[in-house]
Amino acid sequence: MGKKKLICGVGVNDLDSASRIDGDHSSAYHCWHDMITRCYGNQNKTPTYVGCYVCDEWLVFSKFKEWYDLNYVPGFHLDKDILIKNNKIYSPNTCIFVPVYINVLLVDRRNDRGSLPLGISFGNYLNSKGEIVISYKASCNNGNGKRLSKRFCRLEDAMDWYSNTKKRIVAQQVSRALSEEAISQTVADALLRREF
């Protein structure tokens, strides 16, 4: 057997034939490859993944595919930090598949906010006198493809609005996911315990 090309210098595709279906890469391979490149690829493109890594077992495609085949739900996204907030490792014990509308609830958007708290960015606007006013813009994804936002003069007010709005949205989407049997009670509890 010839030498295998490493993905990002660490990932081994030991199942060349199983990684393709009709000449195209399988969904399992795409999921594995994306996970590897997020952690070990160009960190300038994915700064929120700085410090993230994949467990040794999952650096081998066949091992990841075994878990994937048992857990994948078509259309769902792989998530590493719902069960354990701020988790940095992709592994069988930390990852789950969740609906897209659940996964997008926890997008960090660090590039937009810089050093400001989660959900907050600077948002200058023109007042009625035509003057530029520096404000804080609080915004969050509602899980249905829209962003809710509001401007505040004080950072504390923006943070309160974000926290209350995010908790309400998460509760609504968790209720939806439970009614659709798309998540387990364990996942629901982890999301509802989260502080925003």
Side-chain angles (χ1 to χ4, degrees), residues 129-186:
K129 298 176 186 174
E131 302 166 330
I132 295 176
V133 176
I134 297 173
S135 66
Y136 296 97
K137 181 180 177 185
S139 62
C140 56
N141 189 311
N142 71 353
N144 295 319
K146 295 190 177 181
R147 292 197 66 73
L148 304 176
S149 63
K150 192 170 179 180
R151 294 182 189 279
F152 296 89
C153 293
R154 292 176 1 105
L155 177 59
E156 295 79 11
D157 295 336
M159 291 169 60
D160 286 345
W161 181 89
Y162 174 80
S163 178
N164 293 329
T165 303
K166 194 68 168 185
K167 285 177 187 174
R168 179 178 48 81
I169 289 169
V170 166
Q172 290 169 347
Q173 295 299 356
V174 163
S175 178
R176 170 186 173 189
L178 283 172
S179 72
E180 294 172 355
E181 297 181 0
I183 61 172
S184 67
Q185 190 62 51
T186 301

Side-chain angles (χ1 to χ4, degrees), residues 14-87:
D14 60 333
L15 297 176
D16 280 337
S17 60
S19 70
R20 294 187 178 271
I21 299 172
D22 297 329
D24 292 325
H25 284 295
S26 68
S27 63
Y29 179 83
H30 278 292
C31 186
W32 176 75
H33 185 273
D34 289 349
M35 173 184 67
I36 298 289
T37 55
R38 278 193 299 270
C39 293
Y40 304 103
N42 184 348
Q43 294 289 307
N44 292 330
K45 288 185 178 179
T46 56
T48 57
Y49 289 93
V50 170
C52 293
Y53 61 101
V54 177
C55 71
D56 290 344
E57 178 184 357
W58 278 9
L59 291 175
V60 178
F61 177 54
S62 62
K63 295 298 184 182
F64 174 79
K65 188 175 182 308
E66 287 174 14
W67 180 88
Y68 179 96
D69 290 343
L70 290 172
N71 294 280
Y72 179 65
V73 177
F76 281 26
H77 284 188
L78 180 67
D79 185 275
K80 67 169 175 32
D81 51 12
I82 285 178
L83 294 176
I84 304 168
K85 186 177 179 180
N86 300 321
N87 177 51

